[in-house]
């Protein structure tokens, strides 16, 4: 788990939290760009919590363990380690991370936001379905593998779902994100949807994230 937070944390003060899937992507570029926004008073101080996934490859497969952590029912044998990874990661993400951050930093939480890319963004759709009141907004890029078929209608407590994809991504991902945005709109969620110039790349996601954290009401 990676945590980026203001240099001075005030105990018992309330902070907004962003929970980031694939927290191993967090690096100094994130920190420097976020610090610049805060220093220029474009956003308020917040804490970003990167929940790491496992990028270990699976023998005789093009998939990694993270794919099974983020995608429900990914053809794993029932009762196997792969099958349980999604359930375990879901429970850890919702139950343990929040409590750990509050205890570790001695803070109170204002609002929680979710940020995910690729399969991590697909995991965000699962969270939207199963825990609709946990996150205030979602930032989802290049969504892949979302289990969206049983997505419920909006409860009107979610302020915005941002979905973006690169215009240089493979056509199936582009088509999938367009269809996903339309589905979510049909469920009465507020959706901010567009493409960006780029592909399925971490630097493109970072650049868009820095823009979008100014839209979600931190």
């Amino acid at each position: 788990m990676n945590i980026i937070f203001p240099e001075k944390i005030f105990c018992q003060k309330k902070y907004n939290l962003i929970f980031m899937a694939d927290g191993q992507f967090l690096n100094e570029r994130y920190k420097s760009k976020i610090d610049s926004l805060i220093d220029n008073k474009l956003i308020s101080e917040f804490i970003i919590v990167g929940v790491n996934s496992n990028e270990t490859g699976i023998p005789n497969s093009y998939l990694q363990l993270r794919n099974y952590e983020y995608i429900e029912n990914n053809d794993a044998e029932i009762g196997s380690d792969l099958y349980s990874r999604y359930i375990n990661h879901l429970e850890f993400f919702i139950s343990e991370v929040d409590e750990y951050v509050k205890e570790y930093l001695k803070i109170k939480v204002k609002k929680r936001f979710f940020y995910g890319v690729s399969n991590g963004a697909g995991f965000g759709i699962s969270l939207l379905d199963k825990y609709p009141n946990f996150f205030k907004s979602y930032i989802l890029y290049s969504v892949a593998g979302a289990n969206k078929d049983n997505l419920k209608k909006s409860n009107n407590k979610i302020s915005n779902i941002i979905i973006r994809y690169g215009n240089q991504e493979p056509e199936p991902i582009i088509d999938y994100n367009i269809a996903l945005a339309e589905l979510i709109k049909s469920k009465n969620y507020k959706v901010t949807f567009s493409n960006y110039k780029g592909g399925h790349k971490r630097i493109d996601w970072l650049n868009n994230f820095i823009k979008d954290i100014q839209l979600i009401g931190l």
Side-chain angles (χ1 to χ4, degrees), residues 153-188:
K153 283 191 174 292
S154 171
N155 60 14
N156 295 319
K157 293 184 179 180
I158 295 171
S159 60
N160 198 4
I161 300 173
I162 298 172
I163 299 177
R164 306 197 193 280
Y165 67 90
N167 63 358
Q168 298 170 18
E169 300 204 62
E171 188 171 337
I173 289 183
I174 293 174
D175 292 343
Y176 186 87
N177 278 259
I178 293 171
L180 176 64
E182 289 301 316
L183 173 66
I184 293 175
K185 285 180 184 177
S186 75
K187 300 293 183 178
N188 297 326

Short mmCIF file of all heavy atoms in Angstrom, two decimals, residues 153-188:
data_model
loop_
_atom_site.label_atom_id
_atom_site.label_comp_id
_atom_site.label_asym_id
_atom_site.label_seq_id
_atom_site.Cartn_x
_atom_site.Cartn_y
_atom_site.Cartn_z
N LYS A 153 -29.64 1.03 -10.53
CA LYS A 153 -29.88 2.44 -10.81
C LYS A 153 -29.26 3.31 -9.74
O LYS A 153 -29.04 2.88 -8.61
CB LYS A 153 -31.38 2.71 -10.92
CG LYS A 153 -32.00 2.25 -12.23
CD LYS A 153 -33.41 2.78 -12.38
CE LYS A 153 -33.97 2.43 -13.75
NZ LYS A 153 -33.30 3.15 -14.84
N SER A 154 -29.00 4.56 -10.09
CA SER A 154 -28.36 5.50 -9.18
C SER A 154 -29.21 5.74 -7.94
O SER A 154 -30.43 5.79 -8.00
CB SER A 154 -28.14 6.83 -9.90
OG SER A 154 -27.72 7.82 -8.99
N ASN A 155 -28.50 5.89 -6.80
CA ASN A 155 -29.18 6.29 -5.57
C ASN A 155 -29.02 7.79 -5.33
O ASN A 155 -29.36 8.30 -4.27
CB ASN A 155 -28.63 5.51 -4.37
CG ASN A 155 -27.14 5.73 -4.17
OD1 ASN A 155 -26.53 6.65 -4.73
ND2 ASN A 155 -26.52 4.88 -3.37
N ASN A 156 -28.46 8.49 -6.34
CA ASN A 156 -28.32 9.96 -6.32
C ASN A 156 -27.32 10.47 -5.29
O ASN A 156 -27.25 11.67 -5.05
CB ASN A 156 -29.68 10.64 -6.11
CG ASN A 156 -30.63 10.38 -7.25
OD1 ASN A 156 -30.22 10.40 -8.41
ND2 ASN A 156 -31.89 10.12 -6.94
N LYS A 157 -26.55 9.60 -4.66
CA LYS A 157 -25.55 10.05 -3.70
C LYS A 157 -24.16 10.17 -4.32
O LYS A 157 -23.24 10.67 -3.70
CB LYS A 157 -25.51 9.11 -2.49
CG LYS A 157 -26.78 9.16 -1.66
CD LYS A 157 -26.68 8.30 -0.41
CE LYS A 157 -27.96 8.39 0.42
NZ LYS A 157 -27.88 7.57 1.64
N ILE A 158 -24.03 9.68 -5.54
CA ILE A 158 -22.74 9.74 -6.24
C ILE A 158 -22.74 10.98 -7.12
O ILE A 158 -23.63 11.18 -7.94
CB ILE A 158 -22.51 8.47 -7.07
CG1 ILE A 158 -22.38 7.28 -6.13
CG2 ILE A 158 -21.28 8.61 -7.94
CD1 ILE A 158 -22.36 5.96 -6.82
N SER A 159 -21.77 11.86 -6.92
CA SER A 159 -21.79 13.15 -7.58
C SER A 159 -21.36 13.07 -9.04
O SER A 159 -21.86 13.82 -9.88
CB SER A 159 -20.92 14.16 -6.83
OG SER A 159 -19.57 13.71 -6.78
N ASN A 160 -20.42 12.17 -9.37
CA ASN A 160 -19.95 12.12 -10.75
C ASN A 160 -19.17 10.84 -10.99
O ASN A 160 -18.47 10.35 -10.10
CB ASN A 160 -19.07 13.33 -11.07
CG ASN A 160 -18.90 13.56 -12.56
OD1 ASN A 160 -19.51 12.87 -13.38
ND2 ASN A 160 -18.10 14.54 -12.91
N ILE A 161 -19.31 10.30 -12.18
CA ILE A 161 -18.48 9.20 -12.66
C ILE A 161 -17.78 9.69 -13.92
O ILE A 161 -18.43 10.03 -14.91
CB ILE A 161 -19.32 7.94 -12.96
CG1 ILE A 161 -20.03 7.46 -11.70
CG2 ILE A 161 -18.42 6.84 -13.52
CD1 ILE A 161 -21.01 6.34 -11.95
N ILE A 162 -16.46 9.76 -13.85
CA ILE A 162 -15.66 10.23 -14.99
C ILE A 162 -15.09 9.02 -15.72
O ILE A 162 -14.41 8.19 -15.11
CB ILE A 162 -14.52 11.15 -14.52
CG1 ILE A 162 -15.09 12.39 -13.83
CG2 ILE A 162 -13.64 11.55 -15.70
CD1 ILE A 162 -14.04 13.27 -13.17
N ILE A 163 -15.41 8.90 -17.00
CA ILE A 163 -14.89 7.80 -17.82
C ILE A 163 -14.17 8.41 -19.02
O ILE A 163 -14.74 9.22 -19.75
CB ILE A 163 -16.02 6.88 -18.32
CG1 ILE A 163 -16.76 6.25 -17.13
CG2 ILE A 163 -15.46 5.79 -19.24
CD1 ILE A 163 -17.94 5.39 -17.53
N ARG A 164 -12.90 8.01 -19.19
CA ARG A 164 -12.14 8.50 -20.34
C ARG A 164 -11.34 7.35 -20.95
O ARG A 164 -10.91 6.43 -20.24
CB ARG A 164 -11.20 9.65 -19.94
CG ARG A 164 -11.93 10.80 -19.23
CD ARG A 164 -11.08 12.07 -19.23
NE ARG A 164 -11.62 13.06 -18.31
CZ ARG A 164 -12.64 13.88 -18.54
NH1 ARG A 164 -13.28 13.77 -19.69
NH2 ARG A 164 -13.03 14.76 -17.64
N TYR A 165 -11.11 7.42 -22.24
CA TYR A 165 -10.29 6.42 -22.92
C TYR A 165 -9.43 7.12 -23.96
O TYR A 165 -9.73 8.23 -24.41
CB TYR A 165 -11.17 5.36 -23.59
CG TYR A 165 -12.01 5.90 -24.73
CD1 TYR A 165 -11.51 5.91 -26.04
CD2 TYR A 165 -13.27 6.44 -24.51
CE1 TYR A 165 -12.26 6.42 -27.09
CE2 TYR A 165 -14.03 6.95 -25.55
CZ TYR A 165 -13.52 6.94 -26.84
OH TYR A 165 -14.26 7.45 -27.87
N GLY A 166 -8.34 6.47 -24.36
CA GLY A 166 -7.43 7.05 -25.34
C GLY A 166 -7.89 6.79 -26.76
O GLY A 166 -8.35 5.68 -27.08
N ASN A 167 -7.71 7.78 -27.64
CA ASN A 167 -8.12 7.59 -29.03
C ASN A 167 -7.18 6.66 -29.80
O ASN A 167 -7.47 6.29 -30.94
CB ASN A 167 -8.23 8.95 -29.75
CG ASN A 167 -6.91 9.69 -29.83
OD1 ASN A 167 -5.88 9.24 -29.33
ND2 ASN A 167 -6.94 10.87 -30.46
N GLN A 168 -6.07 6.27 -29.17
CA GLN A 168 -5.13 5.34 -29.80
C GLN A 168 -5.20 3.94 -29.18
O GLN A 168 -4.35 3.09 -29.47
CB GLN A 168 -3.71 5.90 -29.67
CG GLN A 168 -3.51 7.24 -30.36
CD GLN A 168 -2.18 7.89 -30.03
OE1 GLN A 168 -1.25 7.24 -29.56
NE2 GLN A 168 -2.08 9.20 -30.27
N GLU A 169 -6.20 3.70 -28.37
CA GLU A 169 -6.34 2.38 -27.75
C GLU A 169 -6.92 1.39 -28.75
O GLU A 169 -7.50 1.78 -29.78
CB GLU A 169 -7.23 2.49 -26.51
CG GLU A 169 -6.68 3.43 -25.45
CD GLU A 169 -7.19 3.13 -24.06
OE1 GLU A 169 -6.92 2.02 -23.57
OE2 GLU A 169 -7.82 4.00 -23.46
N PRO A 170 -6.81 0.09 -28.46
CA PRO A 170 -7.42 -0.91 -29.34
C PRO A 170 -8.93 -0.67 -29.47
O PRO A 170 -9.59 -0.24 -28.52
CB PRO A 170 -7.13 -2.24 -28.62
CG PRO A 170 -5.92 -1.95 -27.79
CD PRO A 170 -6.05 -0.52 -27.36
N GLU A 171 -9.46 -0.94 -30.62
CA GLU A 171 -10.87 -0.66 -30.90
C GLU A 171 -11.82 -1.34 -29.92
O GLU A 171 -12.82 -0.71 -29.51
CB GLU A 171 -11.22 -1.08 -32.33
CG GLU A 171 -12.60 -0.65 -32.77
CD GLU A 171 -12.85 -0.88 -34.24
OE1 GLU A 171 -11.86 -0.94 -35.00
OE2 GLU A 171 -14.03 -1.00 -34.63
N PRO A 172 -11.57 -2.59 -29.48
CA PRO A 172 -12.50 -3.19 -28.50
C PRO A 172 -12.60 -2.39 -27.20
O PRO A 172 -13.69 -2.31 -26.60
CB PRO A 172 -11.90 -4.58 -28.26
CG PRO A 172 -11.15 -4.89 -29.51
CD PRO A 172 -10.57 -3.57 -29.95
N ILE A 173 -11.50 -1.80 -26.74
CA ILE A 173 -11.54 -1.00 -25.52
C ILE A 173 -12.33 0.28 -25.76
O ILE A 173 -13.13 0.70 -24.91
CB ILE A 173 -10.12 -0.69 -25.02
CG1 ILE A 173 -9.47 -1.96 -24.46
CG2 ILE A 173 -10.14 0.41 -23.96
CD1 ILE A 173 -8.09 -1.76 -23.86
N ILE A 174 -12.13 0.90 -26.91
CA ILE A 174 -12.88 2.12 -27.24
C ILE A 174 -14.38 1.83 -27.26
O ILE A 174 -15.19 2.53 -26.63
CB ILE A 174 -12.42 2.70 -28.58
CG1 ILE A 174 -10.97 3.20 -28.47
CG2 ILE A 174 -13.35 3.82 -29.04
CD1 ILE A 174 -10.37 3.67 -29.79
N ASP A 175 -14.76 0.77 -27.98
CA ASP A 175 -16.18 0.41 -28.08
C ASP A 175 -16.76 0.07 -26.70
O ASP A 175 -17.90 0.45 -26.40
CB ASP A 175 -16.35 -0.79 -29.02
CG ASP A 175 -16.03 -0.44 -30.47
OD1 ASP A 175 -16.00 0.76 -30.80
OD2 ASP A 175 -15.80 -1.38 -31.26
N TYR A 176 -15.97 -0.62 -25.90
CA TYR A 176 -16.44 -1.02 -24.58
C TYR A 176 -16.70 0.19 -23.70
O TYR A 176 -17.72 0.27 -23.00
CB TYR A 176 -15.40 -1.93 -23.92
CG TYR A 176 -15.82 -2.53 -22.60
CD1 TYR A 176 -16.53 -3.71 -22.55
CD2 TYR A 176 -15.50 -1.90 -21.40
CE1 TYR A 176 -16.92 -4.26 -21.34
CE2 TYR A 176 -15.90 -2.44 -20.19
CZ TYR A 176 -16.60 -3.62 -20.18
OH TYR A 176 -17.00 -4.14 -18.98
N ASN A 177 -15.80 1.17 -23.72
CA ASN A 177 -15.96 2.36 -22.88
C ASN A 177 -17.14 3.21 -23.32
O ASN A 177 -17.85 3.77 -22.49
CB ASN A 177 -14.67 3.17 -22.86
CG ASN A 177 -13.64 2.62 -21.89
OD1 ASN A 177 -13.46 3.13 -20.79
ND2 ASN A 177 -12.97 1.55 -22.27
N ILE A 178 -17.37 3.29 -24.62
CA ILE A 178 -18.53 4.03 -25.13
C ILE A 178 -19.82 3.37 -24.66
O ILE A 178 -20.74 4.03 -24.16
CB ILE A 178 -18.49 4.11 -26.66
CG1 ILE A 178 -17.31 4.98 -27.11
CG2 ILE A 178 -19.80 4.66 -27.21
CD1 ILE A 178 -17.06 4.96 -28.60
N ALA A 179 -19.88 2.04 -24.78
CA ALA A 179 -21.08 1.30 -24.35
C ALA A 179 -21.27 1.40 -22.84
O ALA A 179 -22.40 1.54 -22.36
CB ALA A 179 -20.97 -0.16 -24.78
N LEU A 180 -20.17 1.35 -22.09
CA LEU A 180 -20.26 1.43 -20.63
C LEU A 180 -20.80 2.78 -20.20
O LEU A 180 -21.67 2.88 -19.32
CB LEU A 180 -18.88 1.19 -20.01
CG LEU A 180 -18.80 1.34 -18.48
CD1 LEU A 180 -19.65 0.28 -17.79
CD2 LEU A 180 -17.34 1.24 -18.02
N ALA A 181 -20.29 3.85 -20.80
CA ALA A 181 -20.76 5.19 -20.45
C ALA A 181 -22.25 5.34 -20.73
O ALA A 181 -23.00 5.92 -19.93
CB ALA A 181 -19.97 6.25 -21.22
N GLU A 182 -22.71 4.80 -21.85
CA GLU A 182 -24.13 4.87 -22.17
C GLU A 182 -24.97 4.08 -21.18
O GLU A 182 -26.05 4.52 -20.76
CB GLU A 182 -24.37 4.35 -23.60
CG GLU A 182 -23.85 5.28 -24.69
CD GLU A 182 -24.51 6.65 -24.61
OE1 GLU A 182 -25.74 6.72 -24.42
OE2 GLU A 182 -23.77 7.65 -24.76
N LEU A 183 -24.48 2.91 -20.78
CA LEU A 183 -25.20 2.10 -19.80
C LEU A 183 -25.32 2.84 -18.48
O LEU A 183 -26.40 2.89 -17.87
CB LEU A 183 -24.48 0.77 -19.58
CG LEU A 183 -25.04 -0.10 -18.45
CD1 LEU A 183 -26.44 -0.57 -18.76
CD2 LEU A 183 -24.12 -1.29 -18.16
N ILE A 184 -24.21 3.42 -18.01
CA ILE A 184 -24.23 4.12 -16.72
C ILE A 184 -25.16 5.33 -16.78
O ILE A 184 -25.89 5.61 -15.82
CB ILE A 184 -22.80 4.51 -16.32
CG1 ILE A 184 -21.98 3.25 -16.03
CG2 ILE A 184 -22.80 5.41 -15.09
CD1 ILE A 184 -20.53 3.51 -15.74
N LYS A 185 -25.15 6.03 -17.90
CA LYS A 185 -26.09 7.15 -18.06
C LYS A 185 -27.53 6.66 -17.96
O LYS A 185 -28.39 7.32 -17.36
CB LYS A 185 -25.87 7.83 -19.41
CG LYS A 185 -24.64 8.69 -19.49
CD LYS A 185 -24.53 9.32 -20.89
CE LYS A 185 -23.25 10.12 -21.03
NZ LYS A 185 -23.11 10.69 -22.41
N SER A 186 -27.80 5.50 -18.55
CA SER A 186 -29.17 4.98 -18.53
C SER A 186 -29.62 4.59 -17.13
O SER A 186 -30.82 4.45 -16.87
CB SER A 186 -29.27 3.76 -19.46
OG SER A 186 -28.66 2.60 -18.89
N LYS A 187 -28.65 4.41 -16.22
CA LYS A 187 -28.97 4.10 -14.82
C LYS A 187 -29.11 5.37 -13.98
O LYS A 187 -29.15 5.30 -12.75
CB LYS A 187 -27.88 3.21 -14.23
CG LYS A 187 -27.67 1.87 -14.94
CD LYS A 187 -28.87 0.95 -14.78
CE LYS A 187 -28.59 -0.39 -15.45
NZ LYS A 187 -29.73 -1.34 -15.27
N ASN A 188 -29.14 6.51 -14.65
CA ASN A 188 -29.36 7.82 -14.01
C ASN A 188 -28.18 8.33 -13.19
O ASN A 188 -28.37 9.16 -12.29
CB ASN A 188 -30.63 7.79 -13.13
CG ASN A 188 -31.87 7.54 -13.96
OD1 ASN A 188 -31.98 7.96 -15.11
ND2 ASN A 188 -32.83 6.82 -13.38
#
